[in-house]
Amino acid sequence: MKKQFAVIGLGRFGGSICKELSRLGMEVMAIDHSPEKVDEFKDIVTHAVVANSTDEAALKNLGIRNFDHVIVAIGDDIQSSILTTLMLHELGVKHITVKAQNDYHEKVLEKIGAHEIVHPERDIGIRIAHHIVSKNVLDYLELSDEYSIVELIAGEKIHGKTLIDLDIRAKYGINIMAIKRKEEINVSPQAYEKICRGDILIVIGADRDIDRFEKQLLDEG
Ligand code: ATP
C-alpha cells in the first residue's frame, strides 16, 4: 500500500514538499486554513482540505492519526506550530516532522513529541556559505559536528590521476563514495579509475581532512 502523508501549512516549504511527494506517487493530504492556498493545491495532491490544525476536533475529523507521516510546515506562527505538534503527538501520529524557525522553537518541539525537526533556511544557508567560500565545493551535507559529505569539483591538479595515484584514503583519511561525470554516476569507484577535470567527487570524511584534500589537490589558484 502507498504511504500516506499529510502536510500542514502550504507556504513555500510545505508546498514544495506536497509537490515532490505527489510527483513521487505518494498519497498526500494538503491542509491549510487559507482557502486560497488549498485551492492552489487541489489539482496537485490527493486531497486538499481547509482546516485549522490547532483545532483538535478538525484534526480528528481528518483521521490524522491514520497517516503514516505528518509534516508540520507552519513557519511564522510558532504558537500554532507548537500546538499542532502537541495535538498530533497526543492523537498518536506515528511520525511527525516539524519545521523549526529557531533554536528555542526546536527545543520545545523536541520536548512535545516531534520525531524529526528540520531547519530548511538554516541548512540551505550553511550549504550556500560553503559553496561561496570555496569554488570547489558544490554541495555540503553535515553528518555531525565533525563529519560531512561534500561534492567537490576536480580541478587541473588531479586531471588524469587514478585513485591509487592520489592515495586519498591513506593520505587524507577520506573516502570518495562516487564520481559524477556529466549524467553518469560511478558509485564506489575502483582504485584504477581515472579522474578528469570537471568531475564531481562525492567525498565523505572529517571536515578538517576534506579541507586539507581540497586545499592541496583541488584548488587551481
Ligand atoms: P514558507 O517560508 O515555507 O513560505 P512561512 O515560514 O512563511 O513559510 P507561514 O506563511 O507562516 O510560513 O505558514 C505556512 C502556511 O501555514 C501558510 O499558508 C498558513 O496559511 C498556514 N498556517 C498557519 N497556521 C495554520 C494553522 N493553524 N492551520 C492551518 N494552516 C496554517
Side-chain angles (χ1 to χ4, degrees):
M1 238 185 52
K2 276 188 190 170
K3 266 195 157 188
Q4 296 195 312
F5 293 87
V7 177
I8 301 173
L10 304 174
R12 279 164 303 182
F13 176 65
S16 120
I17 291 191
C18 281
K19 286 179 190 157
E20 195 59 14
L21 286 173
S22 301
R23 200 182 65 80
L24 294 169
M26 303 293 151
E27 299 236 344
V28 182
M29 178 186 272
I31 303 162
D32 203 292
H33 61 187
S34 148
E36 292 80 31
K37 280 278 165 198
V38 171
D39 203 46
E40 238 180 81
F41 284 83
K42 69 176 192 314
D43 296 329
I44 298 169
V45 297
T46 324
H47 300 287
V49 188
V50 179
N52 183 344
S53 61
T54 60
D55 176 352
E56 190 173 1
L59 288 179
K60 279 188 181 157
N61 279 340
L62 294 172
I64 204 80
R65 71 182 302 276
N66 301 319
F67 285 83
D68 298 299
H69 196 152
V70 179
I71 296 105
V72 182
I74 299 171
D76 296 341
D77 187 350
I78 292 182
Q79 193 175 318
S80 288
S81 158
I82 291 171
L83 207 54
T84 301
T85 307
L86 185 63
M87 279 186 305
L88 293 172
H89 176 66
E90 284 180 351
L91 289 169
V93 173
K94 291 185 278 289
H95 197 140
I96 310 167
T97 296
V98 192
K99 170 182 156 170
Q101 285 297 86
N102 55 49
D103 294 344
Y104 300 113
H105 188 191
E106 171 165 7
K107 279 211 171 88
V108 177
L109 293 171
E110 272 170 8
K111 293 243 183 312
I112 60 170
H115 301 108
E116 188 183 13
I117 300 162
V118 292
H119 292 258
E121 289 94 348
R122 185 190 69 185
D123 294 349
I124 269 297
I126 292 172
R127 289 161 81 168
I128 292 176
H130 279 265
H131 180 55
I132 291 170
V133 166
S134 165
K135 63 180 175 4
N136 292 117
V137 176
L138 276 192
D139 206 352
Y140 169 91
L141 179 69
E142 188 180 75
L143 298 176
S144 72
D145 285 348
E146 285 175 58
Y147 289 87
S148 309
I149 296 176
V150 182
E151 279 191 0
L152 299 167
I153 308 177
E156 193 58 44
K157 280 187 191 163
I158 60 174
H159 177 73
K161 300 231 164 77
T162 65
L163 295 181
I164 297 182
D165 296 335
L166 296 171
D167 203 12
I168 288 168
R169 195 177 302 170
K171 281 194 187 146
Y172 300 92
I174 61 175
N175 278 292
I176 295 190
M177 297 158 62
I179 301 176
K180 277 204 258 181
R181 186 172 301 156
K182 296 204 173 97
E183 298 307 307
E184 279 183 25
I185 177 149
N186 178 355
V187 179
S188 302
Q190 302 293 313
Y192 54 79
E193 213 74 60
K194 273 194 181 160
I195 295 173
C196 294
R197 180 193 321 108
D199 280 354
I200 294 165
L201 313 178
I202 301 168
V203 172
I204 185 166
D207 293 337
R208 59 169 192 286
D209 296 330
I210 297 177
D211 204 42
R212 252 179 344 114
F213 171 63
E214 195 212 322
K215 289 214 164 67
Q216 292 187 19
L217 287 175
L218 295 171
D219 206 348
E220 290 179 348

